[in-house]
Each structure stands twice: as structure tokens, then as C-alpha cells.
Amino acid sequence: MIYLDLALRGGGITLLVLLATLLWWAPIGWEGRLSITAVAATKSAFLITTAALPLDLHPLVLANLTLLTSFTPAAITWLIISIFLDPPWRRWPWIVAALATSVVFYASQARPDTYLLCLPFAVVLYGALLGLALWSARGDLVECRCRARPGFAAAIAGLALFLTSAQMTGLIDEGSVLLALLQSLSTLGVTLAFAAWLLRPDANRWPGETEAPALSALPLPEDVQDPALMTRIQSAMAAGIWREEGLTIGALASTLAVPEHRLRRAINRGLGHRNFSSFINRARIEAACATLSDPARMNMTVLEIAYDVGFASVGPFNRAFRAEIGHSPTEYRRIALSGDIADSAKVSPIPANLH
């Protein structure tokens, strides 16, 4: 069984390296490539250092592999948020929490008596990631990603939690061959399932931003183009439905009297948006830009403008505005009203055909 464990670990490492290599040639964003590479590196190091048969490794090599293994929580977190959380400015709290967990894991290597801290850190982190994958589905417009959320999140978080709890509680050691075998088998199984999902020829299932050539190379089915529905969506947006506070994909589907899955597909594949909030917020920010650059309405406060375009509070409005424009609403107003051509050139333009 020890040699079967080694064979399974070797297969898992080979598959992880192959997947990471293939994705460096795929038409996906750099964050998708780097996050999968990080998972491949850390999980491979984990499989090597926790083998049932202790490997005779040079101390320096073992130290580096141990360091890599400690950053497995950070790598898994990065991968999950790069797939399921589109707005980049929402990812930083997760990265900070994951790095803190990894630091605790690495510190426990020097202080074995701190092992008890690792398990609660892992439970909180992976439990939160599972909740994130399910909660963020509300505004997701990518069909294959919506369908994969429960299984994918549960598999990754469950596997990571099992491996962590097993290692931290001492269930997997040199004499526990059966559990080591279960560890390697579960890792290989999750990796195979993830590779099968990720490598299917559909640009929308890639994590991160997809490059334009990949989308243009995929012919859209006739039901996706749906010109009648596209016209109704554009009409509703032109009528200002985006001003409704708390507007959801379900509410818009009810207004248009169409199934929600059909509306998701139309906005995603017809208009190129991966998330419903980004679709609505771009229309809101365009209107906000018009107000902020209008000298006749310069007495309106930023809070009043946020309410006017459909935001519930000024905080989300400021974050969404800065993410889209690159400046805060106050800075944008100052630049737009100053008449300074040099400053105005620094302001990111908003497409004119949002609604």
C-alpha cells in the first residue's frame, strides 16, 4: 500500500504540473495562470512531504518544500476567488486572511506546540470560502460557473479541510498508511475533476478575464443571440430600470417576463458581462459621471448622486466608481470641471453604449 500511495502521489503531481503548463498557453488572464500554478506548486510539495514512505531529501530541499506546503491555504484561496469573485477590489481581504493562515501553518513547523492554532484557522478560512462560492452565485451570469459552484467549492474546501485536519491532529503520520492513501487518492480525484471542468473548450469557464480573441473565435448559438430579448433588455436599461435600489437578476427577469437562465445567458454572451452587478453598475456610473461633470449640478453631494443612480450607500458607490474610472467621484468631478486637458486625459472613459 505504501507503493500504491507513492504511485497515486506521483500521478497527482504529474497531473498538477501538466494542468498548470497547459493553462500557460490558454487564452486566459494572468491571474488565472498564476493561481493555478501556485496551487500546483504547493499541492505537489504537500504530496511529497506527507508521503507514507518518508523520502530521503536534502535538508535544504525539505525546508523549501515545507515552506511551499505552508502556503497551500493561500494558493487555494487565490484560485477560488479568481474563479468565483470577479471584482478585484473584493479579493484583498481574502488574500490577507489566507496569508495569515499560511503564516500560522509555517510557524507551526518551528513550534509544534502551536499546531492547535492551525485547525481553527483552516476551518474558518475554508468554511468562508465555501460560503463565498455559494453566496456570490446570486449575480453570476456565467452558466457553467453557476452549475459548478456547489460541487467545485465543496470538493476544494472539503479536501483542503480534510488534509489540514488530518495533518494537524496527527492522523496522518508514518504509521498511518491507509489515511495517507486516502489523502493521495482524494487529491488525485479532485485534481482530475477540476482538470476535466477547466479544460473543456468554453472560454467562459476560464478563471479571470478572458482575452477578446478567444471570445470572437467561439460562434454564439442562435438562442444566445436572441435579438428580441436583447432589444427588451436595452429598452429596460434605457428606461432607467438600473436606478432601482437593490435590483437583482431575478427582479429584472420578472420585469421582462423571461426565465432567469435565459436572461443570464443573454447578458453574459450577448453583452459580454460576467456579473450582474457589474452590468448594472456600469450604467449607474455612466449616469454619475454625467452628473459629476455637469456645472449646473455641482451643488449635489456625492451621497445624493449615489442615491440618485441606485446605490444604497456611498461606500459601495465610491468603490465601484474607483474600480471603473480609476478615480474617486470627488476627484473625477474636480478633473471634469477644471477644464484641464492634461488632467482630463487621465480619466478612464465610460463606453457610451451601456444602455
Side-chain angles (χ1 to χ4, degrees):
M1 292 182 67
I2 289 179
Y3 294 106
L4 178 59
D5 175 64
L6 288 177
L8 290 173
R9 289 171 187 270
I13 293 171
T14 301
L15 185 59
L16 285 166
V17 172
L18 180 61
L19 178 62
T21 302
L22 288 175
L23 291 183
W24 274 98
W25 297 97
I28 64 175
W30 66 269
E31 188 170 9
R33 297 187 183 104
L34 289 178
S35 62
I36 294 173
T37 300
V39 169
T42 56
K43 292 301 293 180
S44 296
F46 184 86
L47 289 173
I48 293 172
T49 57
T50 59
L53 178 65
L55 303 176
D56 187 16
L57 300 174
H58 188 279
L60 181 59
V61 174
L62 181 59
N64 288 328
L65 289 176
T66 301
L67 177 61
L68 273 177
T69 298
S70 300
F71 281 92
T72 300
I76 291 176
T77 300
W78 191 10
L79 176 62
I80 291 178
I81 63 175
S82 71
I83 293 177
F84 294 125
L85 198 58
D86 288 321
W89 53 271
R90 291 183 178 176
R91 299 175 185 171
W92 291 109
W94 294 94
I95 292 295
V96 171
L99 287 175
T101 303
S102 293
V103 169
V104 171
F105 273 47
Y106 187 65
S108 68
Q109 302 296 324
R111 293 281 304 276
D113 57 314
T114 62
Y115 269 2
L116 292 178
L117 290 176
C118 295
L119 187 55
F121 267 81
V123 169
V124 171
L125 177 64
Y126 293 129
L129 286 172
L130 178 58
L132 169 69
L134 299 177
W135 172 81
S136 59
R138 298 179 303 170
D140 195 359
L141 300 177
V142 183
E143 286 182 292
C144 63
R145 194 169 64 175
C146 283
R147 291 193 299 267
R149 278 177 181 272
F152 178 87
I156 292 294
L159 174 62
L161 189 57
F162 161 71
L163 298 181
T164 301
S165 61
Q167 186 186 34
M168 292 304 104
T169 57
L171 295 178
I172 295 179
D173 53 30
E174 295 181 14
S176 186
V177 179
L178 183 60
L179 285 174
L181 187 62
L182 180 59
Q183 180 193 61
S184 57
L185 183 61
S186 58
T187 301
L188 180 60
V190 170
T191 304
L192 279 170
F194 178 59
W197 177 77
L198 198 60
L199 292 175
R200 292 179 61 182
D202 183 344
N204 277 325
R205 74 178 66 247
W206 301 111
E209 294 297 324
T210 305
E211 296 173 9
L215 284 175
S216 62
L218 294 174
L220 295 177
E222 290 298 323
D223 63 326
V224 171
Q225 296 176 7
D226 208 341
L229 177 56
M230 295 298 295
T231 299
R232 292 164 66 188
I233 295 173
Q234 297 286 0
S235 297
M237 294 296 284
I241 194 170
W242 45 268
R243 290 184 183 273
E244 295 183 11
E245 184 180 322
L247 180 65
T248 64
I249 183 73
L252 182 57
S254 297
T255 300
L256 299 178
V258 297
E260 189 174 316
H261 70 87
R262 185 179 162 196
L263 180 60
R264 289 178 186 269
R265 184 182 303 131
I267 298 175
N268 174 229
R269 299 195 182 184
L271 299 176
H273 289 270
R274 295 170 62 87
N275 186 277
F276 183 71
S277 63
S278 69
F279 169 61
I280 295 300
N281 284 349
R282 292 193 71 185
R284 291 172 172 172
I285 291 170
E286 181 191 17
C289 286
T291 301
L292 289 167
S293 58
D294 185 357
R297 291 183 285 182
M298 64 183 302
N299 289 329
M300 285 187 68
T301 66
V302 170
L303 179 60
E304 289 173 333
I305 295 173
Y307 287 152
D308 182 60
V309 299
F311 284 90
S313 62
V314 72
F317 172 61
N318 283 334
R319 288 192 294 270
F321 195 96
R322 183 178 289 277
E324 190 69 50
I325 303 299
H327 295 273
S328 70
T330 302
E331 292 170 340
Y332 179 89
R333 168 177 271 173
R334 179 185 60 79
I335 294 172
L337 297 179
S338 67
D340 191 323
I341 298 177
D343 280 347
S344 298
K346 299 177 184 178
V347 177
S348 301
I350 288 285
N353 58 345
L354 293 178
H355 54 271

